[in-house]
Amino acid sequence: MADINVRATPPRPLGMDAGTAAAPDLPIWDVIELLYFAYRDFVADPDSVLATFGFGRAHHRVLHFVTRNPGLKVAELLDILRITKQSLARVLKQLVDDGFVEQREGETDRRQRRLFATAKGEALALKLATQQTRRIRRALADLGPDGHALARRFLVGMIDASGREEALHFVDRATGVPDRR
């Protein structure tokens, strides 16, 4: 527990009684706010690197998923990011024009657009992921030997139940884990 200063006994959040679960109708303020602060700091390191290219967080997300999933279809990327075609088009054009991503026609369907990171794009994605990994490793180390599994279980639980299997399939596929379906 060297990197963070956590109180031995955290204050009881609103809606919590000693020894009982949170009341279902009351917000869990501390976790909500900690998620905001964690996200703020999680993206801060990449934000400064991205700014040197004139890129923002949307560029980072596109580059991340394209790098992790070579040949990703534009339609799949739209589903993952849940953004409009118009929003993606602007970001993708900039990444393509600047040589970070390339688009290719589908092999069987020439109307399909498949996305691939270039060597330049892969290098930037790796630099950004390395920064974020340092922060994640520090936090996981503080959780103990089961930290990764605990964090993964928590994050999967945060995904809507209807989308969990798809998200896990996507993450595992990019990581090289055999399909569990």
Side-chain angles (χ1 to χ4, degrees):
M1 302 243 172
D3 286 337
I4 60 173
N5 185 5
V6 178
R7 293 183 193 104
T9 307
R12 199 172 321 129
L14 292 175
M16 297 283 289
D17 293 325
T20 63
D25 56 341
L26 293 176
I28 304 173
W29 293 111
D30 61 336
V31 175
I32 292 168
E33 291 168 356
L34 287 169
L35 280 169
Y36 284 124
F37 288 121
Y39 179 73
R40 176 197 67 193
D41 293 349
F42 179 69
V43 297
D45 299 325
D47 281 352
S48 61
V49 173
L50 291 162
T52 65
F53 297 98
F55 294 163
R57 291 180 186 165
H59 296 84
H60 184 189
R61 288 188 294 270
V62 168
L63 187 58
H64 171 88
F65 286 109
V66 169
T67 300
R68 296 275 296 145
N69 301 275
L72 186 67
K73 293 182 234 173
V74 170
E76 291 173 314
L77 186 57
L78 286 168
D79 286 343
I80 292 165
L81 299 176
R82 294 185 180 169
I83 59 174
T84 64
K85 282 183 187 178
Q86 208 172 6
S87 296
L88 178 60
R90 180 188 59 79
V91 169
L92 196 52
K93 180 179 179 351
Q94 197 173 5
L95 288 167
V96 169
D97 289 349
D98 291 353
F100 291 92
V101 171
E102 64 180 42
Q103 296 182 73
R104 300 181 198 157
E105 292 177 347
E107 290 179 18
T108 56
D109 184 349
R110 299 182 73 139
R111 294 170 299 172
Q112 270 183 353
R113 288 188 302 152
R114 298 218 172 234
L115 304 172
F116 297 85
T118 63
K120 182 178 174 182
E122 287 177 359
L124 179 55
L126 180 61
K127 181 176 186 172
L128 301 173
T130 299
Q131 290 179 322
Q132 291 178 314
T133 297
R134 277 190 221 113
R135 184 175 296 278
I136 291 168
R137 285 193 196 283
R138 283 193 312 261
L140 292 177
D142 289 332
L143 294 176
D146 294 333
H148 184 202
L150 288 169
R152 184 176 163 112
R153 219 167 64 226
F154 172 78
L155 292 170
V156 168
M158 291 290 293
I159 299 168
D160 285 341
S162 63
R164 282 184 195 148
E165 278 305 311
E166 182 181 351
L168 282 170
H169 172 70
F170 188 84
V171 169
D172 289 346
R173 181 183 72 189
T175 308
V177 174
D179 195 352
R180 295 179 285 152
R181 292 194 231 183

